[in-house]
Each structure stands twice: as structure tokens, then as C-alpha cells.
Amino acid sequence: MKIVMLGAPGAGKGTQAKKIASNFGIPHISTGDLFRVNIKNETALGKKAKVYIDQGFLVPDDLVLELIEERLGMADCKEGYVLDGFPRTIPQAKALDHTLNNKNDKLEYTIEVDVPDEVIIDRMAGRRACLSCGRTYHLETLRPKAEGICDFCGSFLILRDDDKPETVMKRLEVYHKQTQPLIDYYRERGILHTVDGTGEIEMIYQEIINILV
Ligand code: AMP
């Protein structure tokens, strides 16, 4: 099962992607997480990507494709995956189609998690992330058991630079300009499904499961 999650930054697509991945036993692949690991490890790719990420811009397509193609070539991707944060531009979507076509394969579902910008700005200001394992929490809606500490790995939680309000506004602008055209791209291919992302996490998840089974 090959699934792409679409939605603005902060729409909750990562949370849903992790639940889907664990339910179907397929990997959750977040390009944002892959970049953050590279930044943390100070790789050449991480150093180049950080400049864009910290300002709320998209990382150039060639760097993203280098990263994702390597990941999709790994053994655990054979039975499928949930892509979260990729593709984010039409050239990325076309590159993914091309890679899949070459293997006589195709995407089966794209799930758009739809949330208005005002709700997103509120949500992101309260989001806290674990820099070690990438899990995210929220000061009001998804609190860790111990304040400021990741439930899973015990590391400190932080407000990511790219979740700061000024960066969020920039990221939303970038989303509407560069990523939203993908909605039409996948709608035309008949694989787009849209869910309302403003409700409870579990309700949204149920709606997605109804689409996938
Ligand atoms: P995310 O955690 O998915 O919101 O990603 C964090 C940041 O990483 C984004 O704001 C972009 O700067 C960068 N990024 C992640 N995925 C992509 C992608 N597919 N294309 C370009 N930039 C990306």
C-alpha cells in the first residue's frame, strides 16, 4: 500500500501518517524527519538543507530527491509506505511517478488533511518536538506525560525554529503556492481523498481508515 499524505504544515498529517503506518505495518517516511536527522548529524546534505528549513522555504528539489530516492530503495519499502511531507512540488510528484512507473508500480491513495490557516497558526505555536526521535506533542491537545519531556525517549522537547509564528506564516504561504497544486494533480489522477483535519485525532483517523479499507 503506497500512500501520500497531503496538507499544510501543522495540519496533523504526520500524526495520522504514523498511525496508518503502524496499523498497516509499513514505514512512515517523513522527509522533514530525514532532513532533521541529517542536520543533527551535520552531514553535507543537512548543512545545505538547514539554510532553507530555518527560513521556512522548501529545500530545492534535487536535494529532496537525492534523500527520498535512497530511502525508497530500502528493503522495508517493498510492501509500501506512507509518505509524509513528500512530494511538496509538482516536479517532486512527477519524479515519484516516474520512479514508480519504472517499477511498474503506482501510488494508491493520497489523503489530504484539510485545516484552515488560522487553526494551523494556533496549533503550531503550541507544538513541541523531540529532537531525538522526532515525535511531536502539543501543549493543549497532545501533552507529554511529564512536562517538556518526550514520553518515548526521555529527551527534552523544544519549539522547533520552523514552528515559530513568523516561520509558520512563511511556510503557509509556501504551501499555498508550491504544494497546493498537488491537490489538483492527484485529483485528476482519481486518487485524492480529503478529510476534515479540525476534529479529534481518533475521529480523523477513523475517517482515513474507512478510505483505506
Ligand atoms: P516538515 O517536518 O515536513 O514540515 O518539514 C520541515 C521542513 O523541511 C520544511 O519546511 C521544508 O523546508 C523541508 N522539507 C521537508 N520535506 C520537503 C520536501 N518534500 N520538499 C522541500 N522541502 C522539504
Side-chain angles (χ1 to χ4, degrees):
M1 187 179 270
K2 297 186 176 65
I3 306 169
V4 162
M5 301 300 290
L6 286 177
K13 60 184 186 312
T15 305
Q16 296 297 335
K18 286 188 192 104
K19 288 170 78 69
I20 298 166
S22 111
N23 187 58
F24 291 98
I26 50 179
H28 160 231
I29 301 177
S30 152
T31 38
D33 285 351
L34 293 175
F35 279 128
R36 282 183 284 278
V37 169
N38 274 273
I39 290 171
K40 200 173 153 213
N41 294 339
E42 298 183 355
T43 65
L45 183 72
K47 282 180 191 157
K48 285 187 212 159
K50 187 176 182 342
V51 180
Y52 300 92
I53 293 177
D54 283 351
Q55 296 180 72
F57 293 117
L58 291 187
V59 175
D61 288 339
D62 55 337
L63 294 183
V64 182
L65 293 173
E66 183 186 323
L67 183 83
I68 197 80
E69 274 170 13
E70 189 191 332
R71 182 64 187 88
L72 296 185
M74 291 183 183
D76 64 340
C77 289
K78 285 214 168 68
E79 298 304 318
Y81 37 74
V82 188
L83 294 177
D84 163 17
F86 177 87
R88 256 178 160 104
T89 63
I90 295 281
Q92 289 180 18
K94 287 187 172 162
L96 177 62
D97 281 348
H98 185 72
T99 305
L100 289 169
N101 281 343
N102 282 346
K103 297 181 195 159
N104 264 332
D105 206 347
K106 60 178 168 47
L107 282 177
E108 287 154 278
Y109 300 95
T110 55
I111 311 276
E112 179 200 10
V113 181
D114 185 30
V115 178
D117 284 8
E118 324 68 92
V119 178
I120 287 184
I121 292 166
D122 263 13
R123 276 188 188 176
M124 303 280 265
R127 188 151 92 159
R128 294 295 178 271
C130 174
L131 272 191
S132 291
C133 71
R135 285 188 171 81
T136 51
Y137 299 83
H138 194 277
L139 296 180
E140 283 158 26
T141 54
L142 194 62
R143 300 164 70 117
K145 292 190 185 98
E147 201 182 317
I149 305 288
C150 178
D151 291 350
F152 292 87
C153 71
S155 301
F156 287 113
L157 303 178
I158 56 133
L159 173 64
R160 280 180 358 206
D161 281 342
D162 57 342
D163 285 345
K164 293 184 174 152
E166 60 279 16
T167 319
V168 171
M169 306 282 266
K170 179 78 217 162
R171 292 173 73 197
L172 284 171
E173 194 187 313
V174 167
Y175 172 75
H176 291 300
K177 209 161 130 198
Q178 290 180 269
T179 307
Q180 219 168 7
L182 293 181
I183 306 284
D184 285 336
Y185 181 87
Y186 288 122
R187 185 181 290 120
E188 280 161 21
R189 281 155 182 76
I191 55 168
L192 180 78
H193 302 264
T194 302
V195 295
D196 177 355
T198 58
E200 292 289 314
I201 290 174
E202 279 308 318
M203 280 176 55
I204 301 165
Y205 179 59
Q206 266 318 311
E207 212 181 314
I208 296 175
I209 289 295
N210 291 342
I211 294 166
L212 299 177
V213 293

